[in-house]
Amino acid sequence: MSASFRPDIEGLRALAVSGVIAFHFGLSDLPGGFTGVDIFFVISGYLITGQLLREIDDTGRLDLWRFYARRARRLLPASLFVILATLVAGYFILAPEEQSLYSKGAMFASAYAINFWLIRWSFDYFAPDAANNPFIHFWSLSVEEQFYLAWPALLLLAAWLRPGRRAAILVIGLAGVVSFAVCAWLTEISQPWAFYFSPLRAWEFAAGGLATMAPAGFWRQRPQLGAACGWLGLALIAGAYLIFSEDAPFPGVMALVPVAGAVLLLLSGSGNMQKGPSAVLSLPPLQWLGKLSYSLYLWHWPVIVYAAMMVPELSLADRLGCLALTLALSIFTYNFIENPIRRNGWLMANAARALVPAVLLTGTGVAAAYANARLAVHDIDPQQRIIAESAALPSTARAGGCILDFEDVTPKPCVFGPRNAEGSIALFGDSHADHWSTPLIAAAEKHNYRVLTWLKSSCRASQLTIWVTKLKRDYTECDQWRAQSIKEIIAARPSLVVISEIALASSRKMSPNAKVSDSQDAEWRAGLRATIEAFSQAGLKVAFIRDVPFNDEQVDTCVARALWRGQTPSLCDQTRAYAANDAAAAVERDIVRSIPNASYVDMTDQFCDAQTCRVFIGGRLAYRDRHHMATPFARTLERPLERALFSNMVTAAVK
């Protein structure tokens, strides 16, 4: 063991990985355990900056090849082993289309670039659920590898400008301040960029880098101050673990808490090796976990993701079993792959001996993942292909690019049907209005009506300010767009305004940890009434289509997995009591019917009988995900929708 080994840092690694695993496994009430990743970033910044600056001080230069060889020996073998093992396990657990999709994630993970893939994923409203991606945790390793590429150049720049630590402090500090400022700004307006984009996480590495500049003698001479700082650091990390949640706007300013906690612990440990919190972090159990922390991080996510796919409702015993499996896999990986290769004398002899295999390993991972992505969907079962095509087929409006993104505030209505039509119908709402566009446009053309659409992702037609998970803030763009859209629809004077939106009960099921209050219900009722009355008072007829039933799982993947395993799609069905929420719909129906010129259209019986709501109906996939209709099935609802909307269009309010 190196004379410079810091047992407190090993213990801090254990603290970081324990928070991440506890958060993902749900073994304790640590809603902010995900901030353990930020602690890892600070540790990396501290250690790498210290190593590089010492080399610059001693030799006046940096042997970058040697530096990258060390990183390659440390990180690549274990990560590639886990990636390949996860791909193999996926064959037995995932449906073919899932295997293909997540193999692309493995390809980016192998090249340490998955964070860029996830940025794009995050802005796709219809992207598959990220919680099912067994490679998503590689985003932090990608950010770290990208840091390793850029950081040496920054330190060399500082040394070139002026030898000594002052220039390094100035350059690192400036980079950290700029990174933090942009990160805090983007967290409020475009959180995925702030979360995944490596330059916007550089300030966390910079914080660790600046901590390594503090003279250890200062802390050795002030043990009581060091211990106090250490305890404060532990308190900050504990506070982040206990108080933060994934629904909060993160990283931004909030990330200062775990970052500051980690910095204080590192400073404390530099002069108080066996006192205060340093002594706690040096305890044998934490040392053991710290040694395994890298392998634990690699393994824990695919283990819990695959377990949840096979047993959707994991019990405490199931989760403890997953923890035991994660420990076993990590011990094996550390003892037989990670540590032996890292300490291999032949590989350590010169940089080329490590870097050439590293390039080959990276290429192997990319090639294997790419091949798996292609082979998974090559010559697949026709039913699997139908399911995949049904889920992928966009609605008529979405295919025309008519659904506005989150940031858009200016309405951009689309027109479908003959320009010389005798009348028009306005379709207004969120993506749950959009999935009716296919049958509505087809039915309207039969009656010589054109359809004008005002559609925006996650934006209710009801006048209600909502909080959006993807943005981690109130959806103010929706409020602006909605107000302008209502004005434009009234000015267009359509023969009928068709409204639909995600049910309030369904949106709450998607965010089960969100607080629910009577005032929210009252605001929703008032918002729904306000929107419909705005059209009614303008002399327009309104038809409000009840939302489709909600499903606990991604229906396309659930059905595809069932068929892949030789099971029946009915395993994915839901009880009507849960999926349809008839009591809440009754409140909605009463509000709509109490307003002149407004009617309530209920298609729930197309999905459900008295007890069960089906997901595979008439040999067709009913949903593309948990709550959006699959377009081929939506087409089958043209006739019932036509009867509901057009039977009395001319003479009376729609029934």
Side-chain angles (χ1 to χ4, degrees):
M1 186 174 292
S2 170
S4 63
F5 173 75
R6 290 265 302 270
D8 62 306
I9 293 180
E10 201 77 278
L12 188 55
R13 285 194 180 105
L15 194 63
V17 80
S18 296
V20 173
I21 292 176
F23 171 70
H24 286 147
F25 277 44
L27 292 172
S28 61
D29 191 15
L30 291 180
F34 62 90
T35 59
V37 171
D38 301 86
I39 298 173
F40 277 126
F41 289 164
V42 175
I43 294 172
S44 292
Y46 184 85
L47 294 175
I48 297 303
T49 303
Q51 291 173 12
L52 295 175
L53 286 178
R54 282 192 295 272
E55 185 176 345
I56 292 174
D57 290 343
D58 292 342
T59 67
R61 58 186 293 274
L62 275 180
D63 187 343
L64 292 178
W65 295 118
R66 183 167 169 265
F67 169 72
Y68 291 126
R70 287 199 305 266
R71 296 295 88 208
R73 293 198 314 271
R74 174 76 175 90
L75 301 174
L76 275 174
S79 65
L80 179 62
F81 177 65
V82 173
I83 287 171
L84 295 179
T86 304
L87 285 173
V88 171
Y91 174 82
F92 301 97
I93 298 170
L94 302 170
E97 283 290 334
E98 287 181 290
Q99 294 176 42
S100 178
L101 172 65
Y102 296 135
S103 291
K104 295 173 186 174
M107 184 172 66
F108 283 98
S110 298
Y112 289 98
I114 195 173
N115 56 322
F116 297 112
W117 191 58
L118 292 171
I119 290 172
R120 180 182 177 186
W121 182 307
S122 298
F123 285 104
D124 183 356
Y125 180 76
F126 292 97
D129 188 0
N132 286 327
N133 185 341
F135 300 100
I136 193 173
H137 64 312
F138 276 88
W139 76 267
S140 63
L141 302 178
S142 298
V143 167
E144 200 158 323
E145 281 292 321
Q146 291 154 25
F147 159 73
Y148 295 147
L149 288 175
W151 207 245
L154 193 69
L155 297 183
L156 284 172
L157 172 64
W160 176 75
L161 290 172
R162 183 174 181 179
R165 295 298 173 99
R166 289 187 178 180
I169 291 173
L170 179 62
V171 170
I172 293 174
L174 181 61
V177 168
V178 172
S179 171
F180 174 74
V182 179
C183 177
W185 171 63
L186 275 178
T187 297
E188 296 299 322
I189 64 171
S190 188
Q191 189 261 352
W193 276 99
F195 194 92
Y196 290 122
F197 192 44
S198 50
L200 304 187
R201 290 298 192 118
W203 68 272
E204 299 181 84
F205 296 96
L210 290 174
T212 202
M213 310 282 189
F218 175 88
W219 299 101
R220 279 195 294 269
Q221 294 167 13
R222 297 166 177 81
Q224 291 182 333
L225 176 62
C229 286
W231 290 121
L232 176 59
L234 276 177
L236 289 173
I237 290 172
Y241 280 8
L242 292 168
I243 298 172
F244 289 6
S245 77
E246 60 181 334
D247 292 330
F250 195 87
V253 175
M254 293 180 65
L256 283 170
V257 176
V259 168
V263 167
L264 288 171
L265 281 167
L266 291 169
L267 291 173
S268 173
S270 66
N272 298 277
M273 294 296 289
Q274 297 298 327
K275 295 181 180 180
S278 295
V280 174
L281 293 173
S282 299
L283 291 173
L286 292 178
Q287 294 299 294
W288 183 70
L289 282 177
K291 283 194 304 182
L292 294 174
S293 60
Y294 181 52
S295 291
L296 284 168
Y297 184 80
L298 289 174
W299 277 116
H300 85 282
W301 183 245
V303 167
I304 195 65
V305 165
Y306 282 162
M309 289 178 181
M310 294 185 289
V311 184
E313 297 296 331
L314 290 171
S315 65
L316 177 59
D318 295 329
R319 295 176 189 276
L320 290 173
C322 290
L323 180 60
L325 177 59
T326 300
L327 282 170
L329 291 169
S330 300
I331 291 169
F332 174 84
T333 304
Y334 177 79
N335 287 307
F336 294 99
I337 297 174
E338 180 185 343
N339 210 39
I341 295 177
R342 179 186 180 190
R343 305 294 184 188
N344 184 275
W346 187 85
L347 291 173
M348 294 172 68
N350 63 63
R353 291 185 182 182
L355 289 176
V356 172
V359 172
L360 293 175
L361 284 175
T362 300
T364 298
V366 172
Y370 177 79
N372 198 64
R374 298 295 299 269
L375 291 172
V377 292
H378 177 70
D379 198 27
I380 62 173
D381 181 88
Q383 277 191 303
Q384 293 285 347
R385 192 172 299 281
I386 290 171
I387 291 169
E389 290 173 352
S390 296
L393 187 66
S395 68
T396 304
R398 186 155 68 94
C402 300
I403 306 180
L404 270 64
D405 291 330
F406 289 93
E407 291 81 5
D408 295 326
V409 297
T410 303
K412 297 177 182 177
C414 292
V415 180
F416 297 89
R419 293 283 179 177
N420 59 349
E422 66 178 67
S424 64
I425 297 172
L427 178 62
F428 177 44
D430 56 18
S431 59
H432 285 236
D434 161 64
H435 64 195
W436 291 105
S437 66
T438 298
L440 176 62
I441 291 168
E445 288 181 352
K446 288 183 180 179
H447 293 264
N448 198 26
Y449 281 86
R450 64 180 182 273
V451 174
L452 292 73
T453 65
W454 281 263
L455 304 167
K456 181 172 170 63
S457 295
S458 294
C459 187
R460 292 177 172 276
S462 301
Q463 296 182 35
L464 174 68
T465 299
I466 60 174
W467 190 93
V468 177
T469 301
K470 284 184 179 290
L471 300 176
K472 305 291 184 184
R473 60 176 172 81
D474 284 344
Y475 197 5
T476 54
E477 293 91 341
C478 173
D479 296 339
Q480 297 175 55
W481 173 85
R482 182 195 304 116
Q484 184 60 33
S485 294
I486 290 174
K487 292 179 181 178
E488 290 186 7
I489 293 170
I490 291 173
R493 307 303 300 173
S495 305
L496 176 68
V497 181
V498 177
I499 297 174
S500 193
E501 62 184 20
I502 187 171
L504 187 63
S506 296
S507 61
R508 285 174 173 170
K509 289 169 186 172
M510 294 175 65
S511 302
N513 297 323
K515 293 181 180 179
V516 178
S517 65
D518 291 339
S519 63
Q520 289 175 336
D521 288 345
E523 289 172 2
W524 164 71
R525 291 193 295 269
L528 175 61
R529 180 176 293 277
T531 293
I532 298 177
E533 284 183 341
F535 295 124
S536 176
Q537 291 170 4
L540 300 178
K541 294 180 180 179
V542 178
F544 188 97
I545 304 178
R546 177 182 174 179
D547 192 21
V548 298
F550 183 84
N551 301 277
D552 258 352
E553 296 186 68
Q554 296 284 113
V555 171
D556 56 327
T557 57
C558 182
V559 172
R561 285 179 202 160
L563 294 173
W564 181 246
R565 299 168 189 169
Q567 299 168 320
T568 173
S570 63
L571 289 172
C572 307
D573 292 344
Q574 301 283 332
T575 63
R576 177 165 181 146
Y578 174 82
N581 207 329
D582 291 321
V587 174
E588 185 179 68
R589 181 187 63 238
D590 291 344
I591 292 172
V592 173
R593 289 183 174 175
S594 69
I595 300 171
N597 293 327
S599 67
Y600 194 73
V601 177
D602 191 343
M603 295 286 184
T604 307
D605 289 346
Q606 301 292 329
F607 299 83
C608 314
D609 56 28
Q611 287 80 36
T612 306
C613 292
R614 309 291 181 190
V615 299
F616 203 65
I617 304 170
R620 290 183 175 87
L621 190 71
Y623 300 85
R624 70 179 316 276
D625 50 26
R626 299 168 72 187
H627 50 92
H628 292 101
M629 276 193 293
T631 298
F633 177 76
R635 288 191 185 119
T636 69
L637 301 183
E638 177 191 334
R639 292 296 298 277
L641 186 66
E642 179 186 2
R643 288 193 296 270
L645 296 180
F646 291 92
S647 57
N648 298 312
M649 178 83 96
V650 177
T651 59
V654 180
K655 300 300 181 183

